[in-house]
Amino acid sequence: MSGPAGTTPHASSRAAVLDVIRAAGTISRVGLVKATGFTGATISTVVRRLIDDGLVLETGRAESTGGKRRVLLQLNQSSRFAVGVHLDHAGLTYVLTNLGGSVVARMSRAGVGTDDPPVVVARIATEVDALIDGAGIDRSRILGLGFVTPGPLDQTGGMPLTPPAMRHWEHFPLDRELGAAVGLPVVLENDATAAALGEHWSGDIGGTATFAALYMGTGIGAGLMINGVTYRGAGGNAGEIGHICVDVEGPECWCGARGCTEQLAGPGAVVGAALADPELVRSAGLTSTGERPRRIADFAAITRAALRGDPRARTLLERSARYLAVAARTLANIMDLEQLVLTGPSLAIAGSIYLPVVQEELDRSFFSRATHSVPVRLSRSAATAPAIGAAALVLQSELVPLREGLRLPDNLGDAEPSGQPAVR
Amino acid sequence: MSGPAGTTPHASSRAAVLDVIRAAGTISRVGLVKATGFTGATISTVVRRLIDDGLVLETGRAESTGGKRRVLLQLNQSSRFAVGVHLDHAGLTYVLTNLGGSVVARMSRAGVGTDDPPVVVARIATEVDALIDGAGIDRSRILGLGFVTPGPLDQTGGMPLTPPAMRHWEHFPLDRELGAAVGLPVVLENDATAAALGEHWSGDIGGTATFAALYMGTGIGAGLMINGVTYRGAGGNAGEIGHICVDVEGPECWCGARGCTEQLAGPGAVVGAALADPELVRSAGLTSTGERPRRIADFAAITRAALRGDPRARTLLERSARYLAVAARTLANIMDLEQLVLTGPSLAIAGSIYLPVVQEELDRSFFSRATHSVPVRLSRSAATAPAIGAAALVLQSELVPLREGLRLPDNLGDAEPSGQPAVR
């Protein structure tokens, strides 16, 4: 058994104090003692170092409560930055955030298709340079780069199992190559987990909520937060609801199983069914061909057709939504969730069609519905949540303490190795 | 944000110290300082009180390592006891355990059928008296009673949603009535979560494992442990895999959903299919009738028939096992489990048939199988694990610290209210 977090003033107490200041906005040293349980002497030492390092500022005094007026502390938001990169088959999304997690620059670029990993890594390095230069940020103040891909990731810094379109990425030493190319420490994470963290940092969800981010990009996954802390599971790949079985007699999936959610509900399934319907191809203006699948573009075209009243398009999307809703119910029953957020590029497009179907399923069939409901909402940043979460991962490595019993990236601190993902 | 666990020497540090002593067997005060992160002064104070209360004993000295030989501490196993009661439709199981969780007395009694809750409560009080008297334990040394039923439980101490056979238990104030009748504090828990805790306390699983106990009694559920700590979810009812969908077109379940694991794989489904086959009724010697369902007895008879080579019995059980295996894969994919334990009364009977089917499914289709495998094993105490876990819940309320970010029963300590289950 390792000791309780933060009982001695190591780097993890520094991280804990930073996290409390971030969450509070402004707070006094006495407030920090109360919130963290550290002694006054520890808080005094930690805060002095944070101020010396330029991470925290003193900012006026609190109203008097009879005694001495207390100096307030706040994050020096622009003292440090992080880069977040989200690679999906459909495109690359970049964000640059400050220490508080606010986006100070963003850009989107076309997908990488079947390009070889080294080519993609070189391209990303160039685009990251453009992002940083465009924002006019001094490179020495950038803590690192969070890189987010479809899972699963393994402990060696690569992807041991990939969707067919990314098969050539298997076992590529992504973290090492990318780190060398951009000259920054790299944290890896899967898209859905990063999206959940992005939602958490966006502040739309209570700080200690137990919720899932149901993610749909090219694939389907879920990111899990338990009482405000990322849950990654034994191997770093929890939340793989794209590959849970919703139909034992369903079609075979690329993952080797049968009846997976992704196979039945994913954008690929919707577009595949639409392409088999010549009238819908025409009415929705679909452009995929055998050689050039344009899944997300065609998924968006089908959604637009549905929203303007095309019944064939609507039928396909609602069938997909019903499968996704069943998977959401399974997830809610296993995790006993407080809330569910729909996010990711495909739900940024079609979320308004999926939301009522998922909510209705949970209202009708969530097993513990007599105890509490599970409200579902659409993310306000569904398209960029994974990239924001990627940057937040880097900031967390400076900010968030190693909480006992849960695995967190804290390798910039003094914590023991704690599973995926690691800063390398 | 609440403070890190144990930064001040409240009741939770007492619980943390006790838990470390339990896990270690014997340990010195210096060892406790290292293991908990508390100061020497705190350990000294806490240990002195534990010795004064008779919970901990000094027991000889460790080998010299050059300096002074250190006094070793251990739990005073017989200083406190707890009662665990498991109510399943098929029967009542009672255990009495000492402070270390070892069973010192056990008994099994017939199920409660359709008896009214007040009648059942009176009967349990009498049977608990018999258990305690038979063991010759002084009642003042019994910390409380853990009571375990099919879930879900709610925050008001009753069951808001029950299987059809227990419908008359809905909203019965179980904890209050039972507490009054037996004269002990009562902790409530669902059967599967208690079974997971029972497996954890049995010591067969690593102390910080992330695992699930896949439970099959009359119903199906799962108990979840994350890094050695019980995971209950937002409302106290996580792990309801009996009611996850494995077939969107499957039959309707009593819970209101369609294609639930329990409806397709549970003992009720196996016995129901067997009763429709006159030849199997004869060859297996089934005795259920419309008025008197004897599900577990008949499930056991079908299992015996299968084990002596009856192909009709084997076909039914293997079909059930395949559905259970698919649910196990879904659970493993969502939680990214390290291990899976098969437990509960029905798997105590038929586990040898289910185990290879579940293991094969995970070996073939667990999504992150390239990262790690998920070994499946059969519990050594499948029939009594829920009752042992029920008693452990009571002991935990004395032993286990409130770990930040996870909900634990700690209401005997100074911790803040932390969700289900509560000692009332």
Side-chain angles (χ1 to χ4, degrees), chain B residues 226-241:
Chain B
I226 297 178
N227 293 2
V229 178
T230 314
Y231 174 69
R232 292 191 175 83
N237 291 297
E240 288 292 358
I241 68 154

PDB file of all heavy atoms in Angstrom, chain B residues 226-241:
ATOM      1  N   ILE B 226     -11.859  -1.488  -8.122  1.00  0.00           N
ATOM      2  CA  ILE B 226     -10.868  -0.719  -8.866  1.00  0.00           C
ATOM      3  C   ILE B 226      -9.662  -0.505  -7.968  1.00  0.00           C
ATOM      4  O   ILE B 226      -9.774   0.135  -6.928  1.00  0.00           O
ATOM      5  CB  ILE B 226     -11.448   0.626  -9.327  1.00  0.00           C
ATOM      6  CG1 ILE B 226     -12.613   0.394 -10.294  1.00  0.00           C
ATOM      7  CG2 ILE B 226     -10.363   1.491  -9.959  1.00  0.00           C
ATOM      8  CD1 ILE B 226     -13.281   1.659 -10.777  1.00  0.00           C
ATOM      9  N   ASN B 227      -8.531  -1.066  -8.370  1.00  0.00           N
ATOM     10  CA  ASN B 227      -7.313  -0.958  -7.559  1.00  0.00           C
ATOM     11  C   ASN B 227      -7.570  -1.332  -6.097  1.00  0.00           C
ATOM     12  O   ASN B 227      -7.093  -0.653  -5.186  1.00  0.00           O
ATOM     13  CB  ASN B 227      -6.719   0.449  -7.640  1.00  0.00           C
ATOM     14  CG  ASN B 227      -6.191   0.771  -9.019  1.00  0.00           C
ATOM     15  OD1 ASN B 227      -6.299  -0.041  -9.934  1.00  0.00           O
ATOM     16  ND2 ASN B 227      -5.616   1.940  -9.186  1.00  0.00           N
ATOM     17  N   GLY B 228      -8.355  -2.377  -5.897  1.00  0.00           N
ATOM     18  CA  GLY B 228      -8.590  -2.878  -4.550  1.00  0.00           C
ATOM     19  C   GLY B 228      -9.677  -2.166  -3.765  1.00  0.00           C
ATOM     20  O   GLY B 228      -9.906  -2.485  -2.601  1.00  0.00           O
ATOM     21  N   VAL B 229     -10.345  -1.196  -4.394  1.00  0.00           N
ATOM     22  CA  VAL B 229     -11.402  -0.460  -3.706  1.00  0.00           C
ATOM     23  C   VAL B 229     -12.730  -0.737  -4.416  1.00  0.00           C
ATOM     24  O   VAL B 229     -12.803  -0.707  -5.638  1.00  0.00           O
ATOM     25  CB  VAL B 229     -11.111   1.062  -3.693  1.00  0.00           C
ATOM     26  CG1 VAL B 229     -12.236   1.831  -3.023  1.00  0.00           C
ATOM     27  CG2 VAL B 229      -9.779   1.336  -3.002  1.00  0.00           C
ATOM     28  N   THR B 230     -13.791  -0.990  -3.636  1.00  0.00           N
ATOM     29  CA  THR B 230     -15.110  -1.244  -4.207  1.00  0.00           C
ATOM     30  C   THR B 230     -15.579  -0.063  -5.043  1.00  0.00           C
ATOM     31  O   THR B 230     -15.524   1.076  -4.595  1.00  0.00           O
ATOM     32  CB  THR B 230     -16.141  -1.463  -3.078  1.00  0.00           C
ATOM     33  OG1 THR B 230     -15.573  -2.357  -2.137  1.00  0.00           O
ATOM     34  CG2 THR B 230     -17.428  -2.038  -3.618  1.00  0.00           C
ATOM     35  N   TYR B 231     -16.058  -0.344  -6.254  1.00  0.00           N
ATOM     36  CA  TYR B 231     -16.643   0.720  -7.069  1.00  0.00           C
ATOM     37  C   TYR B 231     -18.152   0.527  -7.104  1.00  0.00           C
ATOM     38  O   TYR B 231     -18.639  -0.529  -7.513  1.00  0.00           O
ATOM     39  CB  TYR B 231     -16.088   0.698  -8.497  1.00  0.00           C
ATOM     40  CG  TYR B 231     -16.793   1.702  -9.377  1.00  0.00           C
ATOM     41  CD1 TYR B 231     -16.604   3.063  -9.171  1.00  0.00           C
ATOM     42  CD2 TYR B 231     -17.700   1.306 -10.347  1.00  0.00           C
ATOM     43  CE1 TYR B 231     -17.284   4.005  -9.921  1.00  0.00           C
ATOM     44  CE2 TYR B 231     -18.383   2.239 -11.113  1.00  0.00           C
ATOM     45  CZ  TYR B 231     -18.164   3.589 -10.897  1.00  0.00           C
ATOM     46  OH  TYR B 231     -18.856   4.522 -11.643  1.00  0.00           O
ATOM     47  N   ARG B 232     -18.904   1.534  -6.664  1.00  0.00           N
ATOM     48  CA  ARG B 232     -20.358   1.408  -6.578  1.00  0.00           C
ATOM     49  C   ARG B 232     -21.112   2.290  -7.559  1.00  0.00           C
ATOM     50  O   ARG B 232     -22.304   2.103  -7.747  1.00  0.00           O
ATOM     51  CB  ARG B 232     -20.830   1.737  -5.166  1.00  0.00           C
ATOM     52  CG  ARG B 232     -20.399   0.726  -4.133  1.00  0.00           C
ATOM     53  CD  ARG B 232     -21.093   0.946  -2.807  1.00  0.00           C
ATOM     54  NE  ARG B 232     -20.737  -0.122  -1.887  1.00  0.00           N
ATOM     55  CZ  ARG B 232     -19.644  -0.159  -1.151  1.00  0.00           C
ATOM     56  NH1 ARG B 232     -18.787   0.833  -1.230  1.00  0.00           N
ATOM     57  NH2 ARG B 232     -19.402  -1.178  -0.347  1.00  0.00           N
ATOM     58  N   GLY B 233     -20.447   3.272  -8.150  1.00  0.00           N
ATOM     59  CA  GLY B 233     -21.129   4.153  -9.088  1.00  0.00           C
ATOM     60  C   GLY B 233     -21.914   5.246  -8.400  1.00  0.00           C
ATOM     61  O   GLY B 233     -21.962   5.324  -7.167  1.00  0.00           O
ATOM     62  N   ALA B 234     -22.555   6.061  -9.230  1.00  0.00           N
ATOM     63  CA  ALA B 234     -23.201   7.274  -8.723  1.00  0.00           C
ATOM     64  C   ALA B 234     -24.318   6.969  -7.733  1.00  0.00           C
ATOM     65  O   ALA B 234     -24.506   7.691  -6.768  1.00  0.00           O
ATOM     66  CB  ALA B 234     -23.743   8.095  -9.893  1.00  0.00           C
ATOM     67  N   GLY B 235     -25.068   5.897  -7.939  1.00  0.00           N
ATOM     68  CA  GLY B 235     -26.211   5.620  -7.084  1.00  0.00           C
ATOM     69  C   GLY B 235     -26.057   4.348  -6.266  1.00  0.00           C
ATOM     70  O   GLY B 235     -27.007   3.896  -5.634  1.00  0.00           O
ATOM     71  N   GLY B 236     -24.868   3.746  -6.283  1.00  0.00           N
ATOM     72  CA  GLY B 236     -24.633   2.549  -5.481  1.00  0.00           C
ATOM     73  C   GLY B 236     -24.976   1.245  -6.181  1.00  0.00           C
ATOM     74  O   GLY B 236     -24.992   0.190  -5.559  1.00  0.00           O
ATOM     75  N   ASN B 237     -25.259   1.289  -7.482  1.00  0.00           N
ATOM     76  CA  ASN B 237     -25.687   0.083  -8.180  1.00  0.00           C
ATOM     77  C   ASN B 237     -24.899  -0.211  -9.450  1.00  0.00           C
ATOM     78  O   ASN B 237     -25.442  -0.689 -10.444  1.00  0.00           O
ATOM     79  CB  ASN B 237     -27.186   0.182  -8.498  1.00  0.00           C
ATOM     80  CG  ASN B 237     -28.029   0.097  -7.240  1.00  0.00           C
ATOM     81  OD1 ASN B 237     -28.017  -0.916  -6.555  1.00  0.00           O
ATOM     82  ND2 ASN B 237     -28.715   1.170  -6.911  1.00  0.00           N
ATOM     83  N   ALA B 238     -23.601   0.020  -9.407  1.00  0.00           N
ATOM     84  CA  ALA B 238     -22.764  -0.301 -10.569  1.00  0.00           C
ATOM     85  C   ALA B 238     -22.724  -1.815 -10.777  1.00  0.00           C
ATOM     86  O   ALA B 238     -23.043  -2.592  -9.889  1.00  0.00           O
ATOM     87  CB  ALA B 238     -21.357   0.238 -10.364  1.00  0.00           C
ATOM     88  N   GLY B 239     -22.330  -2.222 -11.984  1.00  0.00           N
ATOM     89  CA  GLY B 239     -22.095  -3.638 -12.267  1.00  0.00           C
ATOM     90  C   GLY B 239     -23.328  -4.453 -12.627  1.00  0.00           C
ATOM     91  O   GLY B 239     -23.291  -5.679 -12.581  1.00  0.00           O
ATOM     92  N   GLU B 240     -24.407  -3.788 -13.032  1.00  0.00           N
ATOM     93  CA  GLU B 240     -25.639  -4.530 -13.319  1.00  0.00           C
ATOM     94  C   GLU B 240     -25.574  -5.207 -14.687  1.00  0.00           C
ATOM     95  O   GLU B 240     -26.356  -4.915 -15.591  1.00  0.00           O
ATOM     96  CB  GLU B 240     -26.855  -3.604 -13.214  1.00  0.00           C
ATOM     97  CG  GLU B 240     -27.200  -3.207 -11.796  1.00  0.00           C
ATOM     98  CD  GLU B 240     -27.724  -4.377 -10.942  1.00  0.00           C
ATOM     99  OE1 GLU B 240     -27.850  -5.504 -11.452  1.00  0.00           O
ATOM    100  OE2 GLU B 240     -27.987  -4.150  -9.746  1.00  0.00           O
ATOM    101  N   ILE B 241     -24.678  -6.167 -14.848  1.00  0.00           N
ATOM    102  CA  ILE B 241     -24.535  -6.790 -16.169  1.00  0.00           C
ATOM    103  C   ILE B 241     -25.636  -7.791 -16.474  1.00  0.00           C
ATOM    104  O   ILE B 241     -25.749  -8.257 -17.599  1.00  0.00           O
ATOM    105  CB  ILE B 241     -23.174  -7.479 -16.379  1.00  0.00           C
ATOM    106  CG1 ILE B 241     -23.036  -8.702 -15.492  1.00  0.00           C
ATOM    107  CG2 ILE B 241     -22.016  -6.543 -16.230  1.00  0.00           C
ATOM    108  CD1 ILE B 241     -22.075  -9.683 -16.101  1.00  0.00           C
TER     109      ILE B 241
END
